[in-house]
Amino acid sequence: MPFYVYILKSLKDNSFYIGQTKDIIKRFANHNSKKCKSTKSKVPWELIHIEEFPTRKEAMQREKEIKKRKKRKFIEKIIN
């Protein structure tokens, strides 16, 4: 089963959230139903980018890479 790195954009304040998961549909639903502490104050979220990886290790490496360079221009470059 693949793993995913995803980028969410808050429709409330246009901020971004980067995460990784095995079940993208369930995870996205959890973010918008306020089940995630780190994102519940910025609901609703829009799923704007997904990358698929064969292993969790690769997904975590990519998530770390994006978060390390967490600048708006870098994220906008990824999603465009």
Side-chain angles (χ1 to χ4, degrees), residues 8-61:
L8 303 177
K9 184 176 183 180
S10 170
L11 298 177
K12 183 176 181 179
D13 69 357
N14 290 322
S15 62
F16 294 110
Y17 178 84
I18 299 104
Q20 60 85 23
T21 186
K22 186 190 238 184
D23 186 343
I24 192 73
I25 295 167
K26 182 178 177 183
R27 187 70 175 142
F28 180 61
N30 285 344
H31 283 294
N32 274 322
S33 62
K34 298 184 178 183
K35 291 183 180 177
C36 302
K37 279 185 182 181
S38 59
T39 60
K40 68 181 182 179
S41 66
K42 298 183 179 189
V43 169
W45 291 93
E46 175 182 27
L47 183 60
I48 59 170
H49 184 74
I50 302 171
E51 295 179 17
E52 185 176 312
F53 297 89
T55 66
R56 171 164 269 152
K57 182 179 179 180
E58 291 172 281
M60 290 175 73
Q61 288 173 337

Side-chain angles (χ1 to χ4, degrees), residues 52-78:
E52 185 176 312
F53 297 89
T55 66
R56 171 164 269 152
K57 182 179 179 180
E58 291 172 281
M60 290 175 73
Q61 288 173 337
R62 178 63 171 154
E63 176 191 21
K64 186 176 179 180
E65 176 189 350
I66 295 170
K67 285 182 172 181
K68 188 176 180 181
R69 300 179 67 189
K70 192 175 179 179
K71 299 216 185 238
R72 187 165 208 79
K73 286 183 182 181
F74 179 70
I75 293 172
E76 287 172 349
K77 185 178 178 182
I78 291 172

